[in-house]
Amino acid sequence: STNFVQKSEEARKGVLSLYRDFYRELDWTCRSHLLNVSIAAARQKMKEQFVRNKNITDVRMIDMLVVKGRMTLEEMHHQWSQDYNCYAYFDDTITQKEKSCRKRAHIHGQIL
């Protein structure tokens, strides 16, 4: 029981650290990728992404999401990800189009 509490506290610290790092990084990301998104809108979208996962209690899942978040942050910072991929995080219409395209491709038996 004590071990679980320690691990959940470590996971919480990891999430807060990732949130802080993303918050600080967004200004650079928006400028370096020439995104037509205000910093306030980008930070709001980032907050929505974190809030969406707030009910996850499995420490292993939280750790996995933090690792994936760190990878995304590093890709954006070093500009390894394309501008389109960065913009897709902040623009719901692009995300919906992409989902729709993948769904149509899956229905027709195509592999993406």
Side-chain angles (χ1 to χ4, degrees):
S1 178
T2 306
N3 194 22
F4 175 75
V5 172
Q6 288 175 336
K7 288 187 180 209
S8 62
E9 184 60 30
E10 288 175 21
R12 181 181 175 280
K13 287 180 182 178
V15 170
L16 292 175
S17 174
L18 179 63
Y19 184 87
R20 249 188 332 268
D21 293 345
F22 255 112
Y23 190 89
R24 293 176 183 151
E25 179 69 24
L26 280 177
D27 181 43
W28 162 252
T29 298
C30 288
R31 285 187 289 119
S32 64
H33 287 279
L34 302 174
L35 301 179
N36 190 18
V37 177
S38 72
I39 302 303
R43 286 181 173 156
Q44 178 61 36
K45 190 65 174 178
M46 178 204 65
K47 182 178 179 179
E48 290 172 10
Q49 295 292 325
F50 276 82
V51 169
R52 187 177 65 180
N53 294 321
K54 75 177 185 176
N55 294 325
I56 297 174
T57 57
D58 184 1
V59 175
R60 294 171 300 183
M61 180 63 84
I62 293 170
D63 288 344
M64 184 198 66
L65 290 171
V66 168
V67 168
K68 287 177 69 175
R70 287 268 167 222
M71 289 173 20
T72 300
L73 180 65
E74 187 176 5
E75 289 172 2
M76 287 181 170
H77 176 76
H78 293 291
Q79 296 183 340
W80 296 333
S81 57
Q82 298 295 317
D83 294 344
Y84 174 85
N85 294 332
C86 290
Y87 196 71
Y89 282 108
F90 307 113
D91 187 356
D92 291 332
T93 58
I94 290 177
T95 306
Q96 292 302 323
K97 287 179 186 176
E98 186 177 86
K99 286 180 183 177
S100 177
C101 177
R102 288 179 185 261
K103 187 175 182 178
R104 283 193 308 269
H106 179 71
I107 290 172
H108 297 294
Q110 301 171 350
I111 299 174
L112 294 177

